[in-house]
mmCIF file of all heavy atoms in Angstrom:
data_model
loop_
_atom_site.group_PDB
_atom_site.id
_atom_site.type_symbol
_atom_site.label_atom_id
_atom_site.label_comp_id
_atom_site.label_asym_id
_atom_site.label_seq_id
_atom_site.Cartn_x
_atom_site.Cartn_y
_atom_site.Cartn_z
ATOM 1 N N ALA A 295 -21.761 12.242 -8.099
ATOM 2 C CA ALA A 295 -20.755 11.197 -8.355
ATOM 3 C C ALA A 295 -20.980 9.957 -7.509
ATOM 4 O O ALA A 295 -20.619 8.854 -7.904
ATOM 5 C CB ALA A 295 -19.346 11.747 -8.122
ATOM 6 N N VAL A 296 -21.581 10.125 -6.331
ATOM 7 C CA VAL A 296 -21.766 8.985 -5.426
ATOM 8 C C VAL A 296 -23.224 8.576 -5.272
ATOM 9 O O VAL A 296 -23.548 7.719 -4.439
ATOM 10 C CB VAL A 296 -21.157 9.256 -4.020
ATOM 11 C CG1 VAL A 296 -19.660 9.534 -4.135
ATOM 12 C CG2 VAL A 296 -21.892 10.397 -3.310
ATOM 13 N N ALA A 297 -24.111 9.166 -6.070
ATOM 14 C CA ALA A 297 -25.555 8.949 -5.885
ATOM 15 C C ALA A 297 -25.933 7.464 -5.872
ATOM 16 O O ALA A 297 -26.765 7.040 -5.080
ATOM 17 C CB ALA A 297 -26.336 9.666 -6.974
ATOM 18 N N GLY A 298 -25.305 6.655 -6.714
ATOM 19 C CA GLY A 298 -25.654 5.241 -6.793
ATOM 20 C C GLY A 298 -24.859 4.347 -5.853
ATOM 21 O O GLY A 298 -24.977 3.129 -5.926
ATOM 22 N N CYS A 299 -24.049 4.936 -4.996
ATOM 23 C CA CYS A 299 -23.176 4.152 -4.119
ATOM 24 C C CYS A 299 -23.778 3.977 -2.733
ATOM 25 O O CYS A 299 -24.382 4.912 -2.202
ATOM 26 C CB CYS A 299 -21.807 4.830 -3.988
ATOM 27 S SG CYS A 299 -20.961 5.032 -5.560
ATOM 28 N N THR A 300 -23.628 2.806 -2.144
ATOM 29 C CA THR A 300 -24.093 2.625 -0.769
ATOM 30 C C THR A 300 -23.021 3.170 0.172
ATOM 31 O O THR A 300 -23.151 4.258 0.707
ATOM 32 C CB THR A 300 -24.394 1.142 -0.476
ATOM 33 O OG1 THR A 300 -23.242 0.370 -0.779
ATOM 34 C CG2 THR A 300 -25.583 0.666 -1.293
ATOM 35 N N VAL A 301 -21.929 2.434 0.320
ATOM 36 C CA VAL A 301 -20.840 2.935 1.162
ATOM 37 C C VAL A 301 -20.110 4.054 0.417
ATOM 38 O O VAL A 301 -19.750 3.904 -0.752
ATOM 39 C CB VAL A 301 -19.852 1.801 1.508
ATOM 40 C CG1 VAL A 301 -18.568 2.366 2.105
ATOM 41 C CG2 VAL A 301 -20.510 0.816 2.470
ATOM 42 N N VAL A 302 -19.938 5.193 1.083
ATOM 43 C CA VAL A 302 -19.165 6.306 0.535
ATOM 44 C C VAL A 302 -18.083 6.638 1.557
ATOM 45 O O VAL A 302 -18.387 7.141 2.643
ATOM 46 C CB VAL A 302 -20.054 7.533 0.271
ATOM 47 C CG1 VAL A 302 -19.213 8.710 -0.243
ATOM 48 C CG2 VAL A 302 -21.164 7.195 -0.726
ATOM 49 N N ALA A 303 -16.846 6.307 1.236
ATOM 50 C CA ALA A 303 -15.752 6.486 2.194
ATOM 51 C C ALA A 303 -14.903 7.679 1.800
ATOM 52 O O ALA A 303 -14.298 7.691 0.731
ATOM 53 C CB ALA A 303 -14.898 5.228 2.260
ATOM 54 N N GLY A 304 -14.860 8.684 2.660
ATOM 55 C CA GLY A 304 -14.061 9.877 2.395
ATOM 56 C C GLY A 304 -12.740 9.796 3.134
ATOM 57 O O GLY A 304 -12.675 9.306 4.257
ATOM 58 N N THR A 305 -11.677 10.271 2.469
ATOM 59 C CA THR A 305 -10.371 10.264 3.120
ATOM 60 C C THR A 305 -10.098 11.628 3.740
ATOM 61 O O THR A 305 -10.425 12.661 3.168
ATOM 62 C CB THR A 305 -9.261 9.941 2.101
ATOM 63 O OG1 THR A 305 -9.445 10.786 0.961
ATOM 64 C CG2 THR A 305 -9.355 8.494 1.658
ATOM 65 N N SER A 306 -9.501 11.602 4.918
ATOM 66 C CA SER A 306 -9.209 12.856 5.597
ATOM 67 C C SER A 306 -7.937 12.722 6.418
ATOM 68 O O SER A 306 -7.744 11.738 7.123
ATOM 69 C CB SER A 306 -10.377 13.239 6.506
ATOM 70 O OG SER A 306 -10.095 14.451 7.159
ATOM 71 N N ALA A 307 -7.055 13.704 6.282
ATOM 72 C CA ALA A 307 -5.810 13.682 7.053
ATOM 73 C C ALA A 307 -6.070 14.225 8.449
ATOM 74 O O ALA A 307 -5.443 13.818 9.424
ATOM 75 C CB ALA A 307 -4.745 14.526 6.366
ATOM 76 N N ARG A 308 -7.025 15.146 8.525
ATOM 77 C CA ARG A 308 -7.283 15.799 9.805
ATOM 78 C C ARG A 308 -8.199 14.966 10.693
ATOM 79 O O ARG A 308 -8.979 14.159 10.212
ATOM 80 C CB ARG A 308 -7.935 17.160 9.572
ATOM 81 C CG ARG A 308 -6.975 18.196 9.058
ATOM 82 C CD ARG A 308 -7.719 19.439 8.680
ATOM 83 N NE ARG A 308 -8.631 19.198 7.564
ATOM 84 C CZ ARG A 308 -9.529 20.096 7.132
ATOM 85 N NH1 ARG A 308 -9.657 21.258 7.756
ATOM 86 N NH2 ARG A 308 -10.297 19.825 6.100
ATOM 87 N N THR A 309 -8.112 15.191 11.997
ATOM 88 C CA THR A 309 -9.094 14.641 12.919
ATOM 89 C C THR A 309 -9.874 15.838 13.455
ATOM 90 O O THR A 309 -9.685 16.962 13.023
ATOM 91 C CB THR A 309 -8.426 13.884 14.072
ATOM 92 O OG1 THR A 309 -7.446 14.728 14.653
ATOM 93 C CG2 THR A 309 -7.786 12.618 13.562
ATOM 94 N N GLY A 310 -10.764 15.584 14.375
ATOM 95 C CA GLY A 310 -11.528 16.698 14.939
ATOM 96 C C GLY A 310 -12.972 16.580 14.549
ATOM 97 O O GLY A 310 -13.448 15.483 14.222
ATOM 98 N N PHE A 311 -13.655 17.686 14.517
ATOM 99 C CA PHE A 311 -15.086 17.808 14.292
ATOM 100 C C PHE A 311 -15.682 16.698 13.423
ATOM 101 O O PHE A 311 -15.569 16.710 12.204
ATOM 102 C CB PHE A 311 -15.386 19.177 13.678
ATOM 103 C CG PHE A 311 -16.855 19.443 13.506
ATOM 104 C CD1 PHE A 311 -17.714 19.351 14.594
ATOM 105 C CD2 PHE A 311 -17.382 19.757 12.256
ATOM 106 C CE1 PHE A 311 -19.069 19.587 14.447
ATOM 107 C CE2 PHE A 311 -18.743 19.987 12.100
ATOM 108 C CZ PHE A 311 -19.577 19.906 13.194
ATOM 109 N N TYR A 312 -16.332 15.766 14.033
ATOM 110 C CA TYR A 312 -17.008 14.664 13.353
ATOM 111 C C TYR A 312 -16.128 13.836 12.428
ATOM 112 O O TYR A 312 -16.601 13.190 11.515
ATOM 113 C CB TYR A 312 -18.258 15.175 12.623
ATOM 114 C CG TYR A 312 -19.341 15.450 13.613
ATOM 115 C CD1 TYR A 312 -19.787 16.732 13.870
ATOM 116 C CD2 TYR A 312 -19.882 14.404 14.351
ATOM 117 C CE1 TYR A 312 -20.750 16.977 14.818
ATOM 118 C CE2 TYR A 312 -20.840 14.639 15.313
ATOM 119 C CZ TYR A 312 -21.277 15.929 15.537
ATOM 120 O OH TYR A 312 -22.215 16.154 16.485
ATOM 121 N N ARG A 313 -14.810 13.912 12.664
ATOM 122 C CA ARG A 313 -13.950 13.002 11.927
ATOM 123 C C ARG A 313 -13.371 11.961 12.885
ATOM 124 O O ARG A 313 -12.460 11.228 12.553
ATOM 125 C CB ARG A 313 -12.787 13.765 11.267
ATOM 126 C CG ARG A 313 -13.222 14.695 10.145
ATOM 127 C CD ARG A 313 -11.988 15.207 9.411
ATOM 128 N NE ARG A 313 -12.357 16.229 8.448
ATOM 129 C CZ ARG A 313 -12.460 17.512 8.744
ATOM 130 N NH1 ARG A 313 -12.261 17.933 9.982
ATOM 131 N NH2 ARG A 313 -12.790 18.370 7.802
ATOM 132 N N ASP A 314 -13.931 11.941 14.111
ATOM 133 C CA ASP A 314 -13.337 11.103 15.151
ATOM 134 C C ASP A 314 -13.485 9.609 14.907
ATOM 135 O O ASP A 314 -12.631 8.830 15.298
ATOM 136 C CB ASP A 314 -13.901 11.475 16.518
ATOM 137 C CG ASP A 314 -13.257 12.753 17.027
ATOM 138 O OD1 ASP A 314 -12.214 13.130 16.468
ATOM 139 O OD2 ASP A 314 -13.790 13.361 17.971
#
Side-chain angles (χ1 to χ4, degrees):
Chain A
V296 300
C299 301
T300 55
V301 167
V302 177
T305 49
S306 180
R308 286 172 295 172
T309 52
F311 184 55
Y312 285 112
R313 292 190 187 87
D314 283 344

